[in-house]
């Protein structure tokens, strides 16, 4: 079995197969050797050496030459996500030339300081893209780049802050899933109300065929993912660590379920650990990947507000779920709603805002009472009756602005429907009865099928 081929048919670029570079690589005649990672520990995977067929999986991704894929994979270890300076260099020079430039094997990029180049050279000493690609294949994942068929084109809206590439676990096509996706984000230390709303949104959106995207964090993120999974729906977790490093640790099982039923993706290579800046930078990917962002509970300095505001900048729909005005957890959401965000309360309203023609939320209205079904004249006669009783026909006609004959006819209708009673020549309202069967205050007692009669 031969080594993975490049786009031009040659062997793995010498730039990435030099002796002593990293802990793994292509060893002629022996196959790919792998370094241990989280996918080898506690995952139930047998300890074995990767075969050339497994190592070649990354080479078979269509659209991007192997040399470029290797260079991009290497750059994810060399640079931090979202670095727009690196993005400009990458756009002008291409990934292979940029890798050489940052590691001292080519002319330095314009504006690169000696300190930065020294830091890159230090990091480059341990970079092994072939080993990383083999490791992600062992995890059931892959590395996708701009130019691949499953690269989501909406990430290009980030411009020079676009990811160098994405490490992905899961079988689904990321590009297709992202076309109909919505982000649900919010507070980590959310209230029971916030967790309930997030789970309901996750379930409702999944039932409507939407892909729920979040960051797998505690609180709102986790509740949204669980809601989608409970409905048998699709969900994507965007991590601020490597896809083989579940964070938070308490969500290791949840992230594993998402990888099986949905997708787990990250900009950082396998084994990378999260830092505070990486969480903030991760949020731009969530905002760009989806058609809209819903914020459920957020304080003024919440990272979920960063996601929402980035979504606004990218022209995506931004939504917020209101909470108690006395709750600091909802203060950030309310501030967002005072701007350009749209208030939503359930999945139907979210789908109406970001969906296509026909994705309409049901009409919202208050409870219907029997008086609402009366025609205007009959309702006016009913309102003319005094609750104190002793209403004579002439008084009712005068108060309702009708003739006596018209008023008498309407009073008989109301009598048949159970709204009034007649005592000699006086008409009286039926007194309200205390009931526990759901009747509303002010409704007359049930005398026959009044609603059926009113709807004729």
């Amino acid at each position: 079995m031969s080594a993975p081929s490049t786009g031009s048919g040659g062997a793995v670029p010498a730039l990435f197969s030099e002796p002593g570079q990293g802990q793994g690589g292509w060893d002629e005649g022996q196959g790919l050797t792998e370094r241990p990672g989280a996918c080898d520990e506690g995952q139930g995977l047998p300890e074995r050496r990767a075969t050339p067929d497994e190592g070649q999986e990354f080479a078979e991704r269509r659209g991007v030459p192997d040399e470029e894929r290797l260079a991009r994979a290497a750059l994810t270890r060399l640079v931090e996500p979202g670095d727009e300076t690196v993005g400009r260099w990458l756009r002008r020079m291409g990934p292979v030339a940029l890798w050489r430039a940052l590691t001292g094997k080519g002319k330095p990029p314009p504006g690169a300081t000696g300190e930065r180049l020294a830091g890159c050279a230090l990091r480059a000493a341990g970079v092994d893209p072939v080993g990383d690609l083999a490791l992600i294949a062992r995890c059931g994942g892959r590395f996708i780049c701009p130019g691949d068929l499953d690269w989501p084109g909406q990430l290009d809206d980030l411009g020079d802050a676009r990811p160098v590439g994405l490490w992905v676990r899961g079988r689904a096509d990321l590009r297709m899933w992202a076309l109909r996706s919505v982000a649900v984000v919010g507070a980590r230390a959310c209230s029971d109300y916030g967790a309930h709303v997030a789970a309901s949104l996750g379930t409702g959106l999944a039932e409507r065929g939407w892909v729920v995207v979040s960051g797998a964090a505690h609180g709102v993120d986790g509740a949204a993912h669980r809601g989608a999974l409970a409905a048998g729906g699709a969900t994507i977790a965007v991590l601020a660590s490597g896809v083989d490093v579940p964070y938070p640790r308490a969500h290791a099982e949840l992230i594993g379920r998402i990888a099986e039923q949905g997708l787990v993706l990250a900009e950082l290579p396998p084994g990378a650990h999260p830092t505070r800046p990486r969480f903030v930078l991760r949020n731009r990917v969530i905002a760009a990947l989806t058609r809209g962002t819903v914020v459920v509970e957020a304080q003024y300095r919440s990272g979920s507000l960063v996601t929402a505001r980035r979504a606004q900048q990218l022209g995506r729909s931004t939504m917020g779920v209101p909470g108690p005005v006395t709750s600091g957890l909802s203060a950030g959401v309310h501030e967002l709603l005072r701007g350009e965000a749209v208030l939503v309360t359930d999945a139907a309203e979210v789908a109406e805002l970001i969906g296509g023609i026909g994705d309409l939320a049901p009409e919202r209205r208050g409870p219907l009472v029997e008086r609402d079904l009366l025609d205007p004249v009959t309702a006016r006669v009913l309102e003319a009756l005094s609750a104190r009783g002793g209403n004579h026909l002439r008084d009712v006609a005068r108060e309702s602005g009708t003739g006596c004959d018209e008023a008498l006819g309407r009073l008989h209708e109301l009598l048949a429907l159970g709204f009034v009673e007649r005592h000699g020549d006086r008409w009286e309202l039926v007194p309200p009865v205390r009931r526990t069967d759901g009747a509303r205050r002010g409704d007359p007692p049930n005398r026959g099928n009044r609603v059926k009669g009113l709807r004729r």
Side-chain angles (χ1 to χ4, degrees):
M1 187 68 66
S2 61
S5 61
T6 66
S8 59
V12 172
L15 179 62
F16 301 104
S17 59
E18 294 173 353
Q21 184 182 26
Q23 294 177 321
W26 185 267
D27 187 6
E28 292 292 337
Q30 296 185 8
L32 286 169
T33 59
E34 300 183 37
R35 57 188 174 198
C39 291
D40 300 305
E41 299 174 0
Q43 299 289 332
L45 294 174
E47 294 185 2
R48 59 182 175 83
R49 296 165 67 87
T51 66
D53 288 336
E54 291 173 326
Q56 195 167 0
E57 182 175 335
F58 73 85
E60 294 172 353
R61 306 298 299 174
R62 292 169 290 177
V64 177
D66 295 345
E67 188 175 37
E68 179 178 335
R69 188 179 308 280
L70 285 166
R72 286 183 176 274
L75 285 170
T76 63
R77 285 206 178 273
L78 199 66
V79 300
E80 286 295 309
D83 190 325
E84 295 192 32
T85 300
V86 172
R88 286 193 296 272
W89 291 339
L90 189 58
R91 173 166 47 85
R92 296 171 182 173
M93 303 173 64
V96 176
L98 179 59
W99 166 263
R100 294 179 179 275
L102 291 176
T103 55
K105 298 173 182 175
K107 183 179 179 181
T113 64
E115 183 178 356
R116 177 157 200 169
L117 293 174
C120 288
L122 189 62
R123 278 191 173 187
V127 172
D128 175 21
V130 175
D132 284 338
L133 291 167
L135 177 57
I136 195 66
R138 289 274 316 272
C139 292
R142 59 197 184 276
F143 178 69
I144 63 173
C145 311
D148 282 330
L149 293 183
D150 51 353
W151 177 261
Q154 55 265 49
L155 290 180
D156 299 342
D157 293 346
L158 291 169
D160 290 332
R162 180 182 70 174
V164 175
L166 290 173
W167 301 87
V168 181
R169 286 177 62 192
R171 299 179 179 274
D173 186 306
L174 176 59
R175 184 178 69 86
M176 298 303 297
W177 275 30
L179 291 176
R180 189 176 168 85
S181 65
V182 57
V184 180
V185 297
R188 287 179 172 83
C190 68
S191 65
D192 292 341
Y193 162 78
H196 172 76
V197 170
S200 297
L201 284 172
T203 299
L205 288 167
E207 289 173 344
R208 287 167 173 78
W210 289 90
V211 179
V212 178
V213 180
S214 199
H218 288 299
V220 167
D221 289 18
H225 287 306
R226 291 188 181 95
L229 292 170
T235 186
I236 298 175
V238 184
L239 305 185
S241 59
V243 293
D244 60 337
V245 180
Y247 188 90
R249 291 291 184 183
H251 281 184
E253 182 179 356
L254 173 62
I255 293 171
R257 285 183 60 203
I258 296 172
E260 293 175 2
Q261 190 170 323
L263 290 170
V264 177
L265 59 92
E267 295 180 78
L268 294 161
H273 291 273
T275 62
R276 187 179 299 274
R278 288 173 175 175
F279 282 113
V280 177
L281 292 166
R282 177 271 309 271
N283 292 343
R284 85 192 194 287
V285 176
I286 295 177
L289 191 65
T290 54
R291 293 176 66 169
T293 295
V294 185
V295 183
V296 182
E297 288 195 330
Q299 297 183 7
Y300 284 120
R301 290 178 55 85
S302 172
S304 56
L305 297 182
V306 175
T307 309
R309 287 168 181 146
R310 193 60 183 264
Q312 284 181 343
Q313 295 169 3
L314 294 169
R316 311 293 196 262
S317 296
T318 307
M319 297 151 280
V321 177
V325 296
T326 54
S327 172
L329 283 171
S330 292
V333 181
H334 295 160
E335 186 66 23
L336 196 67
L337 290 172
R338 292 184 64 191
E340 297 180 7
V342 177
L343 187 151
V344 293
T345 60
D346 59 18
E349 293 177 351
V350 174
E352 180 181 63
L353 187 63
I354 64 175
I357 297 175
D359 289 332
L360 299 176
E363 182 182 358
R364 309 301 170 93
R365 56 183 300 175
L368 182 69
V369 297
E370 291 163 343
R371 287 172 179 252
D372 298 335
L373 299 176
L374 296 172
D375 68 75
V377 177
T378 305
R380 198 163 67 243
V381 170
L382 180 62
E383 292 296 330
L385 292 169
S386 171
R388 296 179 180 180
N391 299 279
H392 292 279
L393 176 61
R394 186 176 296 277
D395 297 330
V396 174
R398 183 179 63 252
E399 293 296 327
S400 62
T402 62
C404 289
D405 292 341
E406 177 74 12
L408 182 60
R410 301 293 177 169
L411 285 170
H412 278 287
E413 288 183 18
L414 293 169
L415 177 64
L417 293 169
F419 284 96
V420 300
E421 296 175 335
R422 183 171 184 175
H423 300 281
D425 61 349
R426 292 180 296 108
W427 297 84
E428 297 181 3
L429 291 171
V430 173
V433 179
R434 292 184 178 274
R435 288 161 41 176
T436 58
D437 60 355
R440 295 179 177 85
R441 182 179 180 183
D443 281 351
N446 185 20
R447 295 189 177 182
N449 193 346
R450 288 171 288 128
V451 174
K452 182 177 179 181
L454 288 168
R455 288 180 175 172
R456 287 178 181 174

